[in-house]
Amino acid sequence: MARARRLFAQTGAALLGLSLLAGCTFPLRESLKPQLRPASITPSKTAPKPDTAQAPTAKSRELAAYYEKLEEHLLSQGLLRRDGGGPDTKFRALDLARNFEAIAFYDEHSSGALLSESTAVSRFHPWRGPVHFNAHFGPSVSASQRINDRATVNAYSARLARVTGHEISTTDAKGNFHVIFVSHDDDDALKDIVASVWPDFPKSRLQTLTNLPRDIYCLVHTNTPSAGEGSERALAIIRAEHPTLMRLSCVHEELAQGLGLSNDSPLARPSIFNDDEEFATLTSHDELLLKMLYDPRLKSGMSLPEARPTIKQIAAELTGETNS
């Protein structure tokens, strides 16, 4: 699954002087603009200067400038919210059940092709064994940034464990869900990291991890649809050129998608599993999706028709609509 926002795949060239098309604008749906800007959001500036890292190339600096302008633009539109949703984003059990079906039973990139529009139905595939996140870094990532990124992964891991009730933790040793922070300059290091943590990772997919198109912000690969219990593995790629909030947003989406919420839906709101960029971080709605994902009444390998009655029941319970 790749966080490749098609809204900006089509119009991202309108951003300030980086291979620009003059006069392009960002189409935004008025109905999705939040009523209030959360006070906690402030635009981040350029990524921290490397301290013990290698100096970035011109290409990496160009990407960092592009993503900084993109983040500023999104924030200026009231997007990348971190408030979790509010009075303007109400949803009911019917919405929650529909969104869960779309996000947990369909695979955004089942063919492995980036930016594909796949709607292939998938069997239910949460992790059955424990999840151990392990952060890795390319040479371009400074020591201070590594400290920040590890803290982000640690905090989010604790939240995911609390929400799902599943065994989820972080480790500096042998993990099975590898979160890799790399820049454009780290392609060789990325290949070495993947070879060391997942030796039989498909070579065809490894090629997609290097020289990513600019419109692929981050991505995750997992073997959970076919892996046996305890053999699940995943790796997420987070661009090191991202400014603070886009970096955090990538961590939130890709780690949650790697747990089994494999798809995006334009109807999901408030949600990070939506291509509209309204929310940067996990919402109250998304926490309910994760609770459903690891509810013991839903079994790994279930088909959608098998699971649908239980999905409706759980959604009604979570929204308090059991008697409606």
Side-chain angles (χ1 to χ4, degrees):
M1 286 68 71
R3 188 167 184 218
R5 299 312 198 195
R6 281 169 285 280
L7 173 64
F8 296 100
Q10 296 169 4
T11 62
L15 286 173
L16 293 183
L18 301 174
S19 302
L20 308 200
L21 297 177
C24 292
T25 58
F26 291 82
L28 296 169
R29 287 181 281 172
E30 293 294 328
S31 62
L32 291 183
K33 287 189 178 181
Q35 294 177 353
L36 296 174
R37 287 287 304 280
S40 61
I41 294 181
T42 55
S44 63
K45 299 303 179 184
T46 52
K49 293 181 179 179
D51 36 41
T52 60
Q54 64 185 22
T57 63
K59 178 63 176 180
S60 184
R61 292 195 303 270
E62 178 184 295
L63 285 169
Y66 172 82
Y67 292 127
E68 181 187 357
K69 289 299 181 183
L70 176 57
E71 180 177 290
E72 290 175 354
H73 178 86
L74 292 168
L75 286 167
S76 73
Q77 298 296 317
L79 303 178
L80 292 181
R81 293 170 63 175
R82 295 185 63 185
D83 59 358
D88 63 317
T89 61
K90 293 180 180 179
F91 58 91
R92 301 197 58 175
L94 182 65
D95 305 311
L96 185 63
R98 176 203 63 207
N99 294 340
F100 183 77
E101 290 183 9
I103 293 168
F105 281 85
Y106 290 82
D107 195 337
E108 183 180 22
H109 301 293
S110 60
S111 67
L114 301 178
L115 287 174
S116 70
E117 296 284 352
S118 173
T119 56
V121 70
S122 171
R123 286 187 174 266
F124 191 57
H125 54 275
W127 289 54
R128 288 176 287 169
V131 179
H132 301 300
F133 291 114
N134 192 358
H136 307 267
F137 304 92
S140 70
V141 184
S142 68
S144 59
Q145 185 62 55
R146 294 182 188 204
I147 292 172
N148 292 338
D149 289 336
R150 286 188 190 279
T152 296
V153 173
N154 289 344
Y156 192 46
S157 170
R159 182 179 178 184
L160 292 172
R162 172 179 55 80
V163 169
T164 63
H166 192 69
E167 185 179 344
I168 298 175
S169 63
T170 56
T171 180
D172 292 329
K174 189 176 181 180
N176 53 16
F177 195 132
H178 304 280
V179 187
I180 308 174
F181 296 85
V182 284
S183 76
H184 172 270
D185 300 338
D186 293 330
D187 280 354
D188 289 340
L190 173 58
K191 292 176 183 177
D192 291 341
I193 292 170
V194 173
S196 67
V197 302
W198 195 337
D200 55 347
F201 188 81
K203 290 184 178 180
S204 60
R205 292 202 172 192
L206 181 58
Q207 295 303 314
T208 69
L209 304 185
T210 59
N211 274 324
L212 289 174
R214 185 176 64 177
D215 296 310
I216 302 296
Y217 306 159
C218 39
L219 55 82
V220 63
H221 284 287
T222 177
N223 69 348
T224 51
S226 59
E229 182 174 354
S231 299
E232 301 97 338
R233 276 188 284 183
L235 57 86
I237 308 298
I238 312 295
R239 284 189 183 272
E241 288 93 354
H242 283 318
T244 303
L245 190 50
M246 285 188 66
R247 199 183 195 101
L248 177 65
S249 182
C250 274
V251 170
H252 272 232
E253 180 169 3
E254 301 307 336
L255 271 57
Q257 285 206 308
L259 291 180
L261 296 176
S262 305
N263 199 24
D264 286 327
S265 170
L267 300 179
R269 186 174 188 252
S271 183
I272 59 174
F273 305 111
N274 189 315
D275 280 345
D276 61 16
E277 303 290 3
E278 184 180 8
F279 289 90
T281 54
L282 204 69
T283 68
S284 57
H285 168 277
D286 297 334
E287 286 197 344
L288 297 185
L289 294 181
L290 285 164
K291 287 180 183 293
M292 296 175 73
L293 183 68
Y294 285 92
D295 189 296
R297 288 171 287 183
L298 292 173
K299 307 298 184 183
S300 179
M302 272 186 165
S303 68
L304 181 52
E306 290 174 317
R308 182 167 282 136
T310 305
I311 291 170
K312 291 180 178 179
Q313 179 184 348
I314 299 172
E317 293 172 1
L318 291 174
T319 57
E321 297 179 36
T322 52
N323 298 321
S324 61

